[in-house]
Amino acid sequence: MKTAIIALNSKYIHSSLAPWYLKYFSEDCCGEIKVLEYTINDNIEWVLSKIFLEKPDVIALSCYIWSIDYILKLVSNLKKVLPHTAIILGGPEVSFDPEEIMFNNTFIDYIICGEGEKSFGKLLKTLQDGSIPIDSIEGLCYRNNKGKITYDGKYCLVDNLDSIPSPYTDEMFSALGNRIVYYEASRGCPFSCSYCISSTFEGVRYFSLDRVKRDICRFINAGVKQVKFVDRTFNANKKRAKEIIGFIIENSKNNSKDNNKVSGKVKSSNTCFHFEAAGDLFDDEMLDILAGAEEGLIQFEIGVQSVNEETLKEINRKTDIEKVFKNVNRLKSFGNIHLHLDLIAGLPFEDYSLMQKSFNKVYEQKPHQLQLGFLKMLKGSKIRYQAEKHGYSFRDYPPYEVLYNKYVNFDEMTEFKGIEEIFERYYNSGRFINSLNFVINRYFDSPFQFYKEFYLFNLKAGYLDRAIPGRELYTVFYDFVKNIVPAHERDVGNDLLKFDFLSTNNSGNLPDGITRIIEPELKEKRLGFLKDEKNRSRYFPGSEGMEAKRLLRNVNFEVFDYDVTELVQDAQNNLDVNIDNNIIRKKRTVILFNYTQRNRVTGLYKYYKVDL
């Protein structure tokens, strides 16, 4: 019997963990099992043809909010061209209403509800030789001999997670390429946030620490670029989280010492580990451990969601907001950890003004990324059953995003949507940090006021009707700035945008509208600077013996009208610069951008003010 497990990811850079769990749990007893990964952006006819050519006896797919529509179209056609092939669906998008889904989609043969490893293996065994009675398989929804839909009403959970074989084999790594690797050290969540499907069952189950450590070593040795832990709250168990983080830090250093209870040796690594964490659960011991991590090794995604206490209480989210911000600022001060904070628009009791307050408060923390998400009424979530209480109207198709509620109307939600797009283009791109800081601090009462006005400017000009190339974003920003900045300070805006561009782009060609100061004598001065051994030792260690002209290919000497180093965020020392209302005076400044040195946290190139 041949089984094809199909993964449909939202983007190419993503990978899927579920198919590999299913494969390695079942392949010893259930014939040939093959994992095929595609994306929802792939042509559906091409995917259909690729699966058809495999001629599988069984096709299985995990369904999520981003893939369910694509999957239903795909499997409908698969059943037509492979009528005798069994179609099995699983995943959160079909686990909470399997009978309804099967009733409306007659081409589906089986749905496994919940964690499917054990039930999937049993079902394959049943399909292969009938040795396991189908009515004994937990969490299975199916059509019986009379065509009646049968379901035991159960949601599968695997008690002993170590009973699931590790999917991280050479075969899996070969299939993954350079995509993100997803990893779970636990399942479940100790909290019961009403908007999350983890609120549908209680408790946390853990993979053993020895297993987690072995897998971490596999990632490092395989040269995986990014490992994303999908644990709902990674640091819910503080002691365990410290041990894992400490292990990662120790074994990612440039050494090859043996790991405790782990066979083999570990090579040096550029692997980055990403965690979803509760910001108020970091204690001093954990923070001290994190302070010793290499630059860019660790990333944290911290859900704030709202700063409104009434809202947090209503969604069953117990959070000490002040402690979250205190810990975020301490983590940020280390300069070695990438920080991503989350907000959700559309939560209960949060009206337009309170949403602004949450936005401004979280923005003040200056995370490297701030995600402004919109509430989704997920199947199985508690808040979906409270829709009437809060007057929710939401899309009745995936991802079930809220349209409006008692507190925020659709006009206001639409405005937030537009602001989110501007925010993604400018703040979350990481390419405008200094220009944004300067303009917001100097000319606007709040960050929200700036993004709202900038959104309206883009909307009126039609810039939100199309994708804008990265270079053009600078031109658009400067056009907006020229309308609000006094004439005598527009050159400062030009210099800051020029600095931001050169900090992230090594092409040397400035965007339209951003002016460059040309000094003919600078060309010879640059070569003289690079020939000086003292300068080489200070700015380019390890470049001894390299020709100055060759070194020049990887640097840029740029002249500015102002000393922008006094105005920009000090990214090298992770410090914010406060902009006061004093007059900013001109001062010719030369900055050296070194395009061989890049900060692993911010992605910005290193820069130095030099005397030329």
Side-chain angles (χ1 to χ4, degrees), residues 340-356:
H340 175 140
L341 302 187
D342 291 335
L343 280 174
I344 298 178
L347 292 173
F349 300 129
E350 194 158 68
D351 61 16
Y352 184 79
S353 63
L354 290 175
M355 287 167 63
Q356 290 184 54

Side-chain angles (χ1 to χ4, degrees), residues 191 232-236 276-282 301-303 317 324 327:
F191 306 110
R232 293 293 186 182
T233 309
F234 170 74
N235 60 337
E276 295 183 22
D280 53 348
L281 295 184
F282 291 106
E301 182 173 348
I302 296 172
R317 188 171 179 82
V324 170
N327 287 336

